Amino acid sequence: MTDLTGGSAIPDPAERAALNAALQANGTETGFWDDQGRPAPWPDDIDQWRPETGGHTTHQPGEQPF
């Protein structure tokens, strides 16, 4: 799931289905959770997600971004 440039890549639907089946079989979490807080499979529409962009934030010297 990492492209050759070193960035993250979203798996295609067939790969997501295979990953979800493997994760469910061994009890591993995907990093996604449903509305009740239970581990959930990869969302079907993840390839349509877009990052939220906001205004530029300015930090004081020595201030952590998070």
Side-chain angles (χ1 to χ4, degrees), residues 1 10-11 16 20 23 28-35 37-47 49:
M1 291 190 306
I10 297 172
R16 285 196 304 268
N20 287 338
L23 292 169
T28 304
E29 294 183 4
T30 61
F32 295 98
W33 294 269
D34 65 13
D35 292 336
R38 295 176 299 222
W42 278 80
D44 290 331
D45 65 346
I46 193 166
D47 53 346
W49 290 15

Side-chain angles (χ1 to χ4, degrees), residues 5-66:
T5 62
S8 296
I10 297 172
D12 62 40
E15 187 177 359
R16 285 196 304 268
L19 288 169
N20 287 338
L23 292 169
Q24 187 175 20
N26 66 16
T28 304
E29 294 183 4
T30 61
F32 295 98
W33 294 269
D34 65 13
D35 292 336
Q36 287 73 41
R38 295 176 299 222
W42 278 80
D44 290 331
D45 65 346
I46 193 166
D47 53 346
Q48 298 169 4
W49 290 15
R50 298 291 175 252
E52 285 189 21
T53 56
H56 180 71
T57 57
T58 308
H59 301 286
Q60 297 297 322
E63 181 182 7
Q64 295 295 321
F66 300 104

